[in-house]
Amino acid sequence: MSDQDRSLGGYDPEAGLSPRQAAAVHKLPVPSLLRSLLSEHLDPGYAAAAAAKAAAPPGNGNRLRAAGWLWQAFAALLIAAVFAAAVAQARSVAPGVSAAQHVLAGSVRSAEGATDDLNRRRDDLAGQVDDIQRRQLRDGAEGRQLLGALDALTLAGATTAVIGPGLTVTVADPNVGVDLSDVSKQRVPGSRQVILDRDLQLVVNSLWACGAEAVSVGGIRIGPNVTIRQAGGAILVDNHPISSPYSIVAIGPPNSMREDFEHSSGLVRMRLLETSYGVGVNVSAGDGLTVPAGAARDIKFAKRIGP
């Protein structure tokens, strides 16, 4: 090493070595972990277990295996007992569950019957009120003007039944006949539900846009606060379940409505489902179609929009 390097504090790795030692190859020590990975292929735990097994008495291994088999047999018996107890409990409570289901079904049917009776009474009373107010208002000019305004409001509020010409749109899921009386065309078990609530909503909105004056879906009048929505596999109209085939009746000028409906987004959507999934679609015009009155609801808040 030169004097300049020594003055700068340099270190000569060959200092103190003979020429032979300096020319020899320097070997780096191998870490113990790397050495163990390369040389010891058996985990120490396995090695200890093998040594313990070799040092054990000759009959000890058989006793250990027998004890293991006994524990496995005991676990299998315990699992079988648990399953047997669960099955026995399910069988014991099954009659009670079935009886409770029958009671609940009877309660539902009774409530539906009472609701239907109340609806019929409401319709009768509403008809009587309408007759009385017409007799009281039809004599004077002001009364007749008021009756005309009331008729327009009841038509918009869907609280009066409507009879007249219009269109009937019937859509059915695949494997469901348009005519429910045809047993051969009923739904095949396991068939898919293709028609959804948004499809019926689109058809109804298209009929409104084509000039419909009153619309019903599945025999239920569409009016203010009436919704068409999906609940699992059922479609609810005003919270009443309806099933395929779905019948949509629209009262209005049939010729112009049908011409406009043929190019509407609702029928285009139905035709696409018909081509892709085999949905049944039928549009027919008729006279004397009936749309029932809708349920009258109390309005708690209203805001006038427009002039």
Side-chain angles (χ1 to χ4, degrees):
M1 185 171 60
S2 63
D3 296 337
Q4 182 179 2
D5 295 335
R6 189 176 292 106
S7 64
L8 293 176
Y11 171 74
D12 187 3
E14 298 180 359
L17 299 178
S18 63
R20 181 178 179 182
Q21 292 176 342
V25 178
H26 296 278
K27 297 182 179 180
L28 298 176
V30 179
S32 58
L33 178 61
L34 183 60
R35 181 183 297 110
S36 63
L37 291 176
L38 295 176
S39 59
E40 301 176 3
H41 302 290
L42 186 63
D43 187 86
Y46 288 104
K53 183 178 180 180
N60 192 25
N62 296 330
R63 287 194 297 270
L64 291 177
R65 284 194 295 271
W69 291 339
L70 288 176
W71 279 110
Q72 292 177 3
F74 176 75
L77 290 175
L78 182 61
I79 294 173
V82 171
F83 276 103
V87 171
Q89 184 178 5
R91 289 180 176 177
S92 63
V93 301
V97 173
S98 179
Q101 289 177 348
H102 287 297
V103 171
L104 291 175
S107 300
V108 170
R109 286 191 293 269
S110 177
E112 288 178 348
T115 302
D116 293 338
D117 294 338
L118 291 175
N119 288 333
R120 284 191 292 269
R121 179 170 175 77
R122 179 204 62 198
D123 295 338
D124 294 339
L125 294 175
Q128 295 176 15
V129 171
D130 184 69
D131 292 338
I132 293 173
Q133 74 180 8
R134 286 185 179 278
R135 286 197 301 266
Q136 296 294 329
L137 297 175
R138 66 187 176 186
D139 294 334
E142 185 178 357
R144 287 192 295 269
Q145 184 179 0
L146 182 58
L147 279 176
L150 287 175
D151 290 339
L153 290 175
T154 53
L155 180 60
T159 57
T160 57
V162 180
I163 300 175
L167 295 180
T168 301
V169 182
T170 306
V171 293
D173 282 316
N175 301 318
V176 177
V178 176
D179 184 7
L180 282 177
S181 62
D182 190 352
V183 181
S184 64
K185 297 181 180 179
Q186 297 299 317
R187 177 188 290 274
V188 176
S191 61
R192 295 177 300 170
Q193 181 183 8
V194 177
I195 301 173
L196 304 178
D197 53 354
R198 56 179 176 267
D199 301 321
L200 298 182
Q201 293 170 7
L202 185 59
V203 172
V204 171
N205 291 333
S206 299
L207 289 171
W208 285 124
C210 294
E213 299 176 4
V215 179
S216 68
V217 178
I220 302 172
R221 181 74 171 270
I222 302 298
N225 299 325
V226 175
T227 59
I228 302 174
R229 62 187 181 89
Q230 192 104 12
I235 293 182
L236 305 179
V237 180
D238 198 20
N239 292 327
H240 295 280
I242 61 175
S243 59
S244 180
Y246 308 102
S247 178
I248 305 171
V249 178
I251 302 295
N255 295 328
S256 59
M257 280 179 56
R258 183 161 192 170
E259 183 178 354
D260 295 337
F261 187 64
E262 288 292 337
H263 306 285
S264 65
S265 57
L267 189 58
V268 169
R269 168 73 175 174
M270 291 297 105
R271 295 301 184 194
L272 179 61
L273 293 178
E274 182 181 25
T275 304
S276 302
Y277 301 101
V279 168
V281 182
N282 183 30
V283 181
S284 61
D287 296 327
L289 301 179
T290 303
V291 172
R297 292 178 171 85
D298 295 333
I299 299 177
K300 298 181 180 179
F301 175 79
K303 180 180 180 181
R304 183 172 181 177
I305 299 177

